[in-house]
Every structure is written in C-alpha cells, then in structure tokens.
Amino acid sequence: MIETVAENIDQDRGNDWRRDQAVTACCLAAAALGDPALAGEVKGRRLMSCLGVLAATHVVGEAPSMARFRAGLREPLRNLLPEDVHTTGLADLVLLDAEGHLTDEAEDLCREFRIPSAALDEHWPWDRVTVEQKERQVHELLRRLPAAEYTRLRAYLIEWPVGDLRTLRRDWATMLPQFYEPVIDWPGRQVNGFFFACPECGWPMRALDTGRLTEIRCEAHSRHGVTYSCVTDSRGDTPPHLHRVGRKAKAVEGRPATKEALAVSRVVWRYVTLPGLMEIELRDHAVKLGADVEMWPHQDRYDLRIALNGQVWRLDAKAWASPMALGEALSGTTPAAPRLIVVVPDHQRSSLTLLRTMLKDSGYQVDTIRGVKKQLNVAATVTA
C-alpha cells in the first residue's frame, strides 16, 4: 500500500512538473525572442537553454527543432507542449503577436506559473527562475491553510525535515507530495544505501566521493564544522562509520535511503527549514529576556513580532545562499510591515553593507542574528 501511494505521488508530481517546465521554457524563450534590445548572441543562448528544457519534457524524438521552436512561439501553445500533459486553458494561448511582442495573455500566463516579471525583463538564467517558482509555490501552499494549521505545518517543516512515509502520511496526507521527496532519489546524499542527517538542521548531508574516502558535510553548516569522512569500500546491512572532522561534527547514525524515507525538498529546506531555525533561535533568545513573541503573525506576512519593554521588532529571516540575489529579489518590493528587519545568518555579516546599500530606499532594515540579539539585550538592560 505504501509503495503504491509513493508511486502515485511520483507520477502526479512528474506530470505537473513536465507541464510546468515546458510552459516556463516557452515563456522565457518568448520574452528573449521578443526583446529587440537583447544582443543576438545572448538571445541565441537563452533560446538554446529553453529548447533544451522543453526537449527534456517530450518523448525522445518528438521535441521540436530550433526553427520549429521559434515559429511555435507565434502559434497556439499546444504546438510546442508535450501531447500527454494537461493543457486545459493553455492550448490556444499565443505567446508572441504578429509584431513579435509578448502578448497580454503571455504575461498573464507567466504570473499564473509564478514567473517573476523581472525574470522576463532581465532574462534570468533557468536555475534562478525555477528556484523562485518553487519558493513561491511553497509559500502559496502554506498560506492557503487556516491559521492554526499553517502554524502547525510551518513548525513541522522546521522540526521534521526528515521522516518516514507512514508517519508523514498520517500527519499530512494531502500535503505530503508538495513538501517531501524520497531520499532514495538523491544519490549524492547516500553512501552504500544510507544517508546521514545534519545534527544542526536535520536534512540529509551531501556525500562527496574522493576515492576510498567519502566526505560527508552539510551544505549550510559545513562552514561551522559539520563535516565527516568515512571509508567507502565497506559493505553489508549496516551504515558506514563516520569519522568526525569538523568541530561541530556530533555523532550521527546512518539511515536506510529507501522510498519510505522522505526529506523536505531542497527549496523547502532552503526557504522554510533554515530560516525557521533562525526564527526559533531569535524567539528563544527573546523569551529568555522576558519578551512577548508571536511567530508568523498574519499568516507569515513576516516571521517574528517581538515586544520588549515598550519596543517592537518585526523580523523576516532569510537564509539565501546569495546576499546579492536576496537584495535583487527585495529591491522594488514593499516591506510587509513598518521598519521590517530582514535578518541574515551571522556568516553573512560582511554582506550587510551591500544589502543596506541595495535596499536603502526600500524601507527595509537589515541585520544579522547576532545584531538583532544585541538590540534585544540593550533594550532589556536599559529598561531593567
């Protein structure tokens, strides 16, 4: 029964994924082809990239040629999409008009498929667009829930980044395929059929084969010392023994990487689990100081509201790998609350000046976890 459910989840997710990838590729290609200011060489690279993505959604041998792809962007979208995906409401849409400009319907389609307008105007690379889409999808799914369920699921994704299929189905049956994936599909996080969860964030660590030894490290916490090594030629039904290398390499046990072992997707880990750990750290620090703390007020308009001795902090934690990309994403947007503080990890302290410069006219404030803690400490001391 469990295996059947997992197979159905994989099939449904695969069909939706292929359709969304194909539509996104066509939209990005149309934006590039319809931009007269884009250099021909750059336009060609963008079209080749999008055609490669579109081809991967088709059955082998049925993908359009480059000439057919370019022509199809001025025809009904059904001429470019795979025949076996659902195209209800999409089939008759045309992306480029007779003059080669992006149609109004195309711009609406981009919004419906969570393609940022900046991605069309600035011709973002494929990887950046898809990550942005996935992040928006995750937060849209969360916000559809009633407030109490939202809070419970948000906390669950932070506290249980890894779980077994049976338990996760019991707690979140209908939401499971939206947030979790089988670890068995992640070969880069396995050693001899086992994976190891980071002792800091709980997500499967990356396994880097260097020959006879394999390096095990958490992508987010290796800089803090969460690194290990193990011998890769061991066999049997037991996980390989990890040797602690980094200073924060606590003892961890290997778990079988089966289809029943699930972990939150990379996007959920990056944009929900990691910032969630930052939020919990700030919450616990504020509570110890006697502050009143509200987590995810107004269903996540921002992450934390802290009230301490007549002062209020509204915080939005961000664990983006690139401070530059974060600054670009926030530029031109409006803060969800007055004097909203964007909180970044302590190791990105050197990027504070860059972020503050990028966001100086936006209304955002920016600080690190340590910086916010210092503000809270001062407030507690001054009014004591």
Side-chain angles (χ1 to χ4, degrees):
M1 176 63 178
I2 290 178
E3 291 181 357
T4 301
V5 171
E7 290 171 359
N8 290 338
I9 288 172
D10 289 342
Q11 182 177 359
D12 291 342
R13 182 165 53 201
N15 289 336
D16 289 344
W17 174 84
R18 290 173 57 233
R19 180 202 60 205
D20 294 354
Q21 291 263 332
V23 170
T24 300
C26 291
C27 288
L28 294 177
L33 190 60
D35 185 352
L38 191 64
E41 181 181 350
V42 177
K43 186 176 297 187
R45 288 200 301 268
R46 290 290 180 267
L47 289 174
M48 283 296 296
S49 173
C50 292
L51 178 56
V53 173
L54 179 63
T57 69
H58 281 264
V59 174
V60 175
E62 295 186 3
S65 64
M66 175 58 78
R68 176 89 280 279
F69 184 36
R70 293 172 68 103
L73 295 173
R74 291 178 167 83
E75 302 171 358
L77 196 54
R78 63 172 173 269
N79 295 344
L80 293 177
L81 298 182
E83 293 184 356
D84 60 336
V85 300
H86 298 297
T87 59
T88 303
L90 301 173
D92 295 326
L93 291 178
V94 177
L95 301 180
L96 293 176
D97 61 22
E99 287 73 36
H101 301 142
L102 207 62
T103 64
D104 293 339
E105 291 83 1
E107 294 185 3
D108 292 337
L109 182 65
C110 290
R111 281 191 289 270
E112 291 168 7
F113 277 77
R114 307 178 188 88
I115 303 173
S117 58
L120 304 177
D121 298 336
E122 301 169 12
H123 306 293
W124 288 3
W126 176 260
D127 289 347
R128 182 178 176 186
V129 175
T130 53
V131 167
E132 178 77 16
Q133 286 176 306
K134 290 175 182 176
E135 184 189 2
R136 291 186 177 195
Q137 181 184 32
V138 166
H139 286 287
E140 286 172 10
L141 288 168
L142 285 168
R143 290 183 181 119
R144 291 175 191 167
L145 298 172
E149 288 294 280
Y150 170 89
T151 299
R152 189 168 78 90
L153 179 55
R154 183 72 185 266
Y156 199 95
L157 295 173
I158 298 168
E159 297 171 4
W160 297 98
V162 169
D164 66 272
L165 179 59
R166 189 184 302 275
T167 301
L168 293 170
R169 282 186 61 230
R170 181 189 65 212
D171 292 342
W172 298 103
T174 58
M175 305 299 288
L176 175 60
Q178 313 294 345
F179 300 105
Y180 287 86
E181 299 176 1
V183 180
I184 197 172
D185 293 341
W186 301 350
R189 299 180 185 279
Q190 300 173 38
V191 181
N192 297 340
F194 293 88
F195 71 94
F196 300 87
C198 170
E200 298 291 321
C201 65
W203 203 55
M205 294 187 283
R206 185 177 292 280
L208 303 173
D209 189 357
T210 59
R212 187 169 178 270
L213 289 179
T214 295
E215 178 187 347
I216 310 294
R217 61 176 175 82
C218 175
E219 291 183 58
H221 297 101
S222 60
R223 62 174 57 86
H224 305 305
V226 182
T227 56
Y228 307 79
S229 67
C230 69
V231 177
T232 57
D233 60 1
S234 61
R235 294 291 184 268
D237 297 330
T238 60
H241 174 71
L242 293 192
H243 299 277
R244 305 181 201 182
V245 176
R247 59 186 178 86
K248 284 198 173 182
K250 302 174 185 176
V252 295
E253 295 293 330
R255 307 184 195 182
T258 66
K259 287 190 74 70
E260 297 176 14
L262 303 184
V264 294
S265 68
R266 183 183 187 85
V267 171
V268 173
W269 171 74
R270 170 61 69 181
Y271 300 111
V272 178
T273 305
L274 289 182
L277 294 172
M278 296 166 59
E279 296 153 14
I280 289 172
E281 181 178 349
L282 288 167
R283 177 200 65 189
D284 293 347
H285 184 81
V287 169
K288 288 180 181 178
L289 295 175
D292 292 326
V293 181
E294 183 180 0
M295 299 285 286
W296 312 305
H298 310 293
Q299 204 147 337
D300 199 29
R301 283 182 57 205
Y302 51 93
D303 296 324
L304 282 168
R305 182 185 184 278
I306 299 175
L308 178 61
N309 296 325
Q311 298 186 54
V312 175
W313 289 260
R314 297 175 178 86
L315 310 174
D316 200 7
K318 299 293 185 183
W320 287 46
S322 169
M324 174 68 77
L326 172 61
E328 291 175 349
L330 292 176
S331 296
T333 66
T334 302
R339 298 184 299 280
L340 183 67
I341 302 175
V342 175
V343 186
V344 298
D346 290 331
H347 71 265
Q348 293 181 349
R349 183 177 181 278
S350 60
S351 299
L352 285 181
T353 300
L354 169 66
L355 283 169
R356 287 167 178 166
T357 300
M358 295 179 72
L359 301 174
K360 65 179 180 179
D361 298 323
S362 64
Y364 291 101
Q365 300 178 35
V366 187
D367 212 335
T368 60
I369 298 174
R370 187 175 303 168
V372 173
K373 286 181 178 179
K374 287 181 178 178
Q375 293 184 41
L376 295 172
N377 291 343
V378 170
T381 303
V382 169
T383 58

